[in-house]
């Protein structure tokens, strides 16, 4: 619901001062770029992890369905080793995909916080230069925060949307 307001917030920052609008617009583009990188870097490992999990769960279901045959044929240890290896592969793939996603998500959060600090610094520089009023620094920071929050939330929502679509 906040997405349509992004251009309005950015335009408002341009009205306050073009430098503030430029910083916020470039920041939004950086966050959007990081979101695209996140999708490109994590989509394949997540798919591999899901496929591994499906194979492991199907194998587990088959073990349970045919447990009496496995025990009667003396295959319990071989099946147990195979099951453990299958589960370990699944957990490794999930951890790998999760770690990649966590690194990019943390980078996006860091970038947003860095942009907030950059906006405050830019505002302070403009206030010292008497281009804006000192109170405008905080207004610009709040407006930029409101403009960038939907971008960060969109990253999380895009993952859920893609998972639901798949």
């Amino acid at each position: 619901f906040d997405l349509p307001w992004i251009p309005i917030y950015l335009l408002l920052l341009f009205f306050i001062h073009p430098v503030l609008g430029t910083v916020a617009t470039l920041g939004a583009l950086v966050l959007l770029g990081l979101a695209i990188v996140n999708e490109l870097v994590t989509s394949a490992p997540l798919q591999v992890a899901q496929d591994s999990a499906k194979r492991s769960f199907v194998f587990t279901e088959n073990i349970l369905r045919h447990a009496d045959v496995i025990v009667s044929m003396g295959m319990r240890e071989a099946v147990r080793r195979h099951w453990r290896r299958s589960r370990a592969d699944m957990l490794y793939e999930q951890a790998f995909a999760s770690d990649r996603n966590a690194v990019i998500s943390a980078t996006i959060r860091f970038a947003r916080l860095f942009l907030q600090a950059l906006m405050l610094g830019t505002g302070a520089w403009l206030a010292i230069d008497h281009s804006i009023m000192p109170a405008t620094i905080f207004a610009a920071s709040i407006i930029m925060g409101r403009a960038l929050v939907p971008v960060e939330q969109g990253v999380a929502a895009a993952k859920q949307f893609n998972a639901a679509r798949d």
Side-chain angles (χ1 to χ4, degrees), residues 59-115:
F59 183 72
T60 303
E61 184 178 324
N62 285 334
I63 290 171
L64 293 174
R65 186 178 311 133
H66 303 294
D68 53 343
V69 175
I70 291 170
V71 170
S72 66
M73 294 179 72
M75 298 172 53
R76 188 180 349 196
E77 281 306 312
V79 168
R80 183 178 293 146
R81 278 192 307 274
H82 183 74
W83 178 80
R84 284 184 178 158
R85 188 173 45 241
S86 170
R87 297 294 290 178
D89 290 345
M90 178 195 68
L91 291 174
Y92 172 79
E93 296 296 339
Q94 286 179 342
F96 180 75
S98 179
D99 288 347
R100 276 194 170 182
N101 185 40
V103 167
I104 302 275
S105 295
T107 303
I108 290 171
R109 273 191 298 279
F110 171 78
R112 189 175 66 78
L113 292 173
F114 179 76
L115 286 169

Side-chain angles (χ1 to χ4, degrees), residues 11-90:
L11 189 61
L12 182 59
L13 286 170
F14 273 105
F15 283 142
I16 293 172
H17 198 279
V19 173
L20 295 175
T22 302
V23 168
T25 303
L26 291 176
L29 291 175
V30 166
L31 289 180
L32 187 61
L34 285 171
I36 292 169
V37 167
N38 186 23
E39 183 62 31
L40 293 174
V41 169
T42 61
S43 62
L46 284 173
Q47 186 62 42
V48 169
Q50 287 177 348
D51 293 343
S52 180
K54 287 177 191 175
R55 282 192 306 275
S56 177
F57 292 137
V58 166
F59 183 72
T60 303
E61 184 178 324
N62 285 334
I63 290 171
L64 293 174
R65 186 178 311 133
H66 303 294
D68 53 343
V69 175
I70 291 170
V71 170
S72 66
M73 294 179 72
M75 298 172 53
R76 188 180 349 196
E77 281 306 312
V79 168
R80 183 178 293 146
R81 278 192 307 274
H82 183 74
W83 178 80
R84 284 184 178 158
R85 188 173 45 241
S86 170
R87 297 294 290 178
D89 290 345
M90 178 195 68

Side-chain angles (χ1 to χ4, degrees), residues 1-6 9 146 150 153:
F1 291 114
D2 289 335
L3 196 60
W5 291 93
I6 293 174
Y9 290 138
R146 292 300 308 153
Q153 289 174 343

